[in-house]
Amino acid sequence: MSYFWALITALVACVGVQADSASSLGALRLRGGGNVFSDLQERVSNFLPRRAGPKIIISGAPASGKGTQCEFIVDKFGVVHISTGDALRAQVSAGTDLGKMANDYMTKGALVPDELIIDIVKDRLAQPDCARKGWLLDGFPRTGVQAEAMKKAGITADHFILLNVPDQVLTERVMGRRTDPVTGKIYHLTFNPPP
């Protein structure tokens, strides 16, 4: 069924609208109750393609607060949080070809090349949950090569967030930072002490 006919079907289902004594547009009600516009919106939205969630990139120095802000953004918008570290570990754990190539570099203590990181991120962004919910790229792209590769692949963000924090504050945050060895959660001795 085309979108046009789906819309017409939804509109026809709303015929039989009654106006109350005020006869104002906002006072229109369906015979069975409910507001014309909310019921119509619900019916029409069932036929229209779902809009993907927002596509967001967040960037900033270590200890600038990316992790904290990412938690807020994921809670507020329901996007998929993607960090390159998590994406690398997932590929290695799944034993994919990309994961095997990345593991070769990681076991040697070498940096994983941009091209491989780009392929891993592109693979993750192509997953259905990212297409449906939108995504939050945490600290990617990190290099000009990575940014150009995203542009070339047609991957664009709706929003870019730069956390610009003074060096003195970053130093204070890094010095008090501690990581829970079991959960991997990051704490700060002053601002967010461990339990």
Side-chain angles (χ1 to χ4, degrees):
M1 180 181 279
S2 75
Y3 293 126
F4 173 76
W5 288 112
L7 180 60
I8 295 300
T9 303
L11 290 171
V12 168
C14 290
V15 175
V17 173
Q18 297 175 339
D20 67 6
S21 59
S23 191
S24 66
L25 190 59
L28 292 175
R29 301 277 181 247
L30 292 174
R31 284 189 205 141
N35 181 294
V36 172
F37 300 106
S38 63
D39 290 346
L40 178 61
Q41 181 181 6
E42 182 180 331
R43 290 174 192 231
V44 171
S45 69
N46 289 334
F47 292 101
L48 298 176
R50 302 263 183 230
R51 174 165 155 60
K55 300 171 185 173
I56 306 166
I57 296 173
I58 189 167
S59 187
S64 62
K66 289 188 303 294
T68 301
Q69 296 309 314
C70 286
E71 287 178 21
F72 291 140
I73 293 167
V74 168
D75 287 345
K76 172 95 175 150
F77 299 104
V79 294
V80 178
H81 179 212
I82 302 169
S83 74
T84 52
D86 291 345
L88 277 169
R89 285 185 287 279
Q91 292 276 351
V92 170
S93 176
T96 66
D97 289 340
L98 291 172
K100 290 174 186 173
M101 288 188 281
N103 196 42
D104 289 343
Y105 289 98
M106 293 162 59
T107 54
K108 295 175 189 170
L111 290 176
V112 178
D114 278 340
E115 297 77 24
L116 190 50
I117 295 288
I118 292 161
D119 287 344
I120 288 171
V121 170
K122 283 174 25 182
D123 181 72
R124 183 63 186 98
L125 292 175
Q127 299 300 314
D129 60 342
C130 289
R132 186 178 65 256
K133 297 179 180 181
W135 42 260
L136 170 61
L137 282 177
D138 179 356
F140 182 90
R142 290 182 194 264
T143 68
V145 171
Q146 292 174 354
E148 285 298 322
M150 281 183 65
K151 183 177 175 182
K152 187 176 179 182
I155 299 168
T156 59
D158 302 320
H159 307 281
F160 179 82
I161 301 167
L162 174 62
L163 301 177
N164 190 9
V165 180
D167 290 344
Q168 182 179 348
V169 174
L170 293 173
T171 302
E172 181 182 1
R173 288 180 181 178
V174 169
M175 298 299 288
R177 196 178 244 195
R178 301 294 184 270
T179 304
D180 184 311
V182 176
T183 65
K185 181 145 176 74
I186 297 173
Y187 295 97
H188 190 277
L189 295 176
T190 305
F191 308 122
N192 182 26

